[in-house]
Amino acid sequence: MEIYEQIVTLQRSGRRGALATIINVRGSIPSFKSAKMLVRDDGSIAGTIGGGCVEAEVWQAARDVMKSELARTLTFDLNQNPKYDTGLICGGTLEIFIEPILPAPLLYIFGAGHVSLALFQAASHAGFDVIVADDREAYANAERFPGARQILSSDFDQTLAELAPSDSAFIVIATRGHRDDLRILRWAVQTPARYIGMIGSRRKAITVFRQLVAEGLRPELFDRVHSPVGLDIGAITPEEIAVAIVAELIATRRNVERALPHMSWFQSPRFAADPNSHNDSHAIQAVSDEASLAEPGN
């Protein structure tokens, strides 16, 4: 199988990899310019860039590229470093470009109302595969969400029992009611999902957090939770809210490290300083009681 076919197979199966390509050669090396090696997330490889110590170092760097999702270039001077002298190398210099091979990010949207529809459209345009779940078939259907990877219209408890998000998955909770948001968040924080967002006000976020911790869930499980969800751009309409949410999804996907204007109470300095502040009877008063975002589907 051609290496590009293997890349497609890897992506379609939702797996990661990194592709190493020799992009520059000076002198004699035991390979050729444009030679490629694919390193899969399980450590296996396809193709070769010449073997030996160079390939071993590239393999390790490829593992780092998969994790960081950032490409990098390595330079090897085979003339100067004796560790590359395996008896096969004639001497030379080569540059190797290593790029991440990533599946389309998978977004689970719980709820199929107005905000969810706008979110589906914006996230799809941004390159996310989307699974939509709602317990109302009149809302969760292919006509309303054309091109969705999957549409689930069963009872939420049944749907949750069938799903198993990976550690690269994104979850946004935007159902029509507090009770459904609560049980989905209870499930979501116990999955390895990379990102979890829940629509609603800060008061709602604090109330739900306190209830779930009172049930026995560990406070640190909420470190990935963004609620209110999205970046603080003053969004009001469903379409604007969707843009704010997708912007935050992209920032998470791309590992943006600089400070961003998150709305989330869970991302606030107060929560970061004392995640156990749910025990403080004044916690709700200490955080501004924002108006709740419009609930979808009403």
Side-chain angles (χ1 to χ4, degrees):
M1 183 184 295
E2 292 285 343
I3 199 164
Y4 291 111
E5 293 176 328
Q6 298 197 41
I7 290 172
V8 171
T9 298
L10 197 69
Q11 289 179 309
R12 285 179 175 173
S13 61
R15 296 175 56 192
R16 296 178 172 225
L19 181 65
T21 304
I22 297 178
I23 58 173
N24 194 21
V25 173
R26 291 187 297 275
S28 177
I29 66 168
S31 190
F32 57 92
K33 188 175 180 179
S34 80
K36 302 181 189 302
M37 180 177 75
L38 173 65
V39 181
R40 305 183 187 90
D41 51 12
D42 62 1
S44 62
I45 65 173
T48 181
I49 50 174
C53 295
V54 168
E55 199 159 278
E57 288 192 26
V58 170
W59 181 90
Q60 184 57 57
R63 303 285 286 177
D64 295 336
V65 165
M66 280 182 235
K67 185 176 181 180
S68 68
E69 301 183 1
L70 298 174
R72 61 186 295 192
T73 300
L74 301 181
T75 301
F76 297 91
D77 187 345
L78 307 180
N79 290 299
Q80 302 297 323
N81 197 327
K83 75 176 181 178
Y84 300 125
D85 184 5
T86 63
L88 298 176
I89 294 175
C90 299
T93 303
L94 70 156
E95 289 183 312
I96 299 176
F97 179 68
I98 308 173
E99 58 189 305
I101 303 298
L102 306 170
L106 181 58
L107 170 63
Y108 296 81
I109 300 176
F110 290 92
H114 304 305
V115 171
S116 295
L117 178 58
L119 176 58
F120 164 76
Q121 294 167 340
S124 297
H125 284 304
F128 288 80
D129 276 349
V130 183
I131 293 176
V132 179
D134 196 294
D135 58 355
R136 302 167 295 173
E137 189 173 354
Y139 282 79
N141 56 68
E143 182 178 356
R144 187 170 168 81
F145 293 93
R149 176 167 171 173
Q150 190 175 7
I151 300 172
L152 304 168
S153 57
S154 303
D155 176 81
F156 280 123
D157 287 336
Q158 179 181 337
T159 294
L160 297 180
E162 296 173 355
L163 296 177
S166 71
D167 59 3
S168 62
F170 296 75
I171 296 173
V172 173
I173 304 167
T175 75
R176 66 188 184 280
H178 172 82
R179 183 176 65 89
D180 289 332
D181 285 349
L182 179 69
R183 61 175 165 169
I184 294 168
L185 183 61
R186 180 190 294 115
W187 165 85
V189 297
Q190 297 179 82
T191 73
R194 179 176 181 179
Y195 172 99
I196 301 168
M198 182 180 71
I199 203 165
S201 66
R202 290 178 182 246
R203 176 185 288 273
K204 173 181 175 179
I206 295 171
T207 300
V208 168
F209 171 72
R210 293 177 69 181
Q211 182 171 340
L212 293 177
V213 169
E215 292 178 6
L217 294 183
R218 302 188 312 278
E220 59 267 24
L221 290 175
F222 296 84
D223 289 349
R224 293 165 293 156
V225 176
H226 298 251
S227 185
V229 65
L231 297 185
D232 189 1
I233 60 172
I236 296 176
T237 67
E239 292 76 16
E240 291 173 346
I241 293 169
V243 169
I245 295 173
V246 172
E248 190 166 73
L249 298 179
I250 293 171
T252 301
R253 178 188 177 190
R254 299 303 185 190
N255 298 304
V256 173
E257 296 180 355
R258 63 183 177 274
L260 294 172
H262 296 287
M263 291 192 291
S264 176
W265 173 69
F266 294 97
Q267 308 299 317
S268 68
R270 176 179 294 276
F271 180 76
D274 182 13
N276 294 311
S277 62
H278 61 283
N279 292 321
D280 182 356
S281 61
H282 302 291
I284 293 180
Q285 299 301 322
V287 183
S288 62
D289 183 14
E290 301 170 342
S292 177
L293 292 172
E295 295 294 345
N298 293 332

